[in-house]
């Protein structure tokens, strides 16, 4: 298992990203079933659930970019063709505005979407490391984003990813 997310509104609903795709449990992990229809890349490294609309789930894959489901994982589609070959290690949604989606990639740094994943753009000014393994958005001050990198430490942005500095 490479990632796990829990639906905050229905905590018995759990998604797991694995090397064989996405698996879902509706009974708190007692039983699991795969939910991979349309998921072309099965090595899923990152998952995120829209906190305001939990039917929307995002999956970041090793070699297929970002996928989105609008039906609780029943079906998936690629959301951004320009990230289709990217290794997406991390996903984070702005809890106050979940149309803002961040993707952390291997070698490409951080990408940001302001339209629920339809288009992503790189937001790496001042970010010296491009291998981003973990992302987190501050739930109180959502313009504050943290990026954990491979081998270079943690970086912080206080302007929604427009600029970064080492987190102290």
């Amino acid at each position: 298992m490479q990632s796990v997310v829990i639906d905050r509104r229905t905590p018995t609903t759990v998604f797991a990203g694995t090397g064989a795709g996405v698996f879902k449990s509706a009974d708190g992990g007692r039983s699991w079933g795969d939910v991979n229809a349309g998921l072309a890349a099965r090595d899923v490294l990152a998952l995120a659930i829209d906190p305001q609309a939990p039917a929307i789930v995002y999956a970041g894959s090793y070699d297929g970019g970002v996928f989105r489901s609008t039906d609780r994982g029943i079906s998936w589609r690629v959301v951004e063709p320009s990230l289709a070959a990217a290794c997406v290690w991390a996903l984070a949604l702005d809890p106050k505005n979940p149309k803002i989606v961040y993707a952390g990639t291997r070698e490409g740094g951080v990408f940001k979407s302001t339209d629920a994943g339809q288009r992503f753009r790189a937001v790496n000014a001042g970010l010296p490391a491009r291998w981003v393994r973990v992302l987190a958005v501050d739930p109180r001050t959502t313009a504050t984003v943290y990026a954990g990198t491979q081998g270079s430490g943690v970086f912080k942005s206080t302007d929604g990813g427009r600029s970064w500095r080492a987190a102290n």
Side-chain angles (χ1 to χ4, degrees):
M1 199 171 337
Q2 301 171 123
S3 60
V4 176
V5 292
I6 299 170
D7 181 340
R8 293 185 331 178
R9 290 189 185 172
T10 311
T12 55
T13 300
V14 183
F15 292 88
T18 73
V22 177
F23 288 79
K24 178 181 176 182
S25 173
D27 58 10
R30 285 189 292 281
S31 62
W32 294 87
D34 65 7
V35 286
N36 293 316
L39 192 63
R42 296 292 172 96
D43 198 355
V44 176
L45 303 174
L47 292 166
I49 297 175
D50 184 319
Q52 295 177 8
I56 299 172
V57 183
Y58 293 87
S61 69
Y62 180 78
D63 60 357
V66 178
F67 293 82
R68 183 175 187 233
S69 172
T70 58
D71 54 14
R72 298 185 187 276
I74 294 169
S75 63
W76 299 88
R77 67 175 182 78
V78 171
V79 295
E80 170 58 74
S82 69
L83 286 180
C87 175
V88 178
W89 272 335
L91 292 168
L93 278 65
D94 182 320
K96 293 181 182 173
N97 179 3
K99 288 188 177 195
I100 297 176
V101 181
Y102 295 92
T105 67
R106 181 185 70 197
E107 299 180 12
V110 178
F111 290 81
K112 179 180 182 179
S113 171
T114 57
D115 57 6
Q118 298 306 308
R119 289 178 305 277
F120 280 87
R121 63 180 167 74
V123 287
N124 292 315
L127 185 66
R130 295 294 192 258
W131 288 48
V132 177
R133 299 286 306 242
V134 180
L135 290 169
V137 178
D138 185 321
R140 291 174 295 162
T141 309
T142 59
T144 300
V145 182
Y146 295 90
T149 65
Q150 173 122 1
S152 297
V154 178
F155 295 86
K156 178 180 180 179
S157 172
T158 57
D159 55 11
R162 284 193 296 273
S163 62
W164 298 87
R165 66 187 182 280
N168 295 329

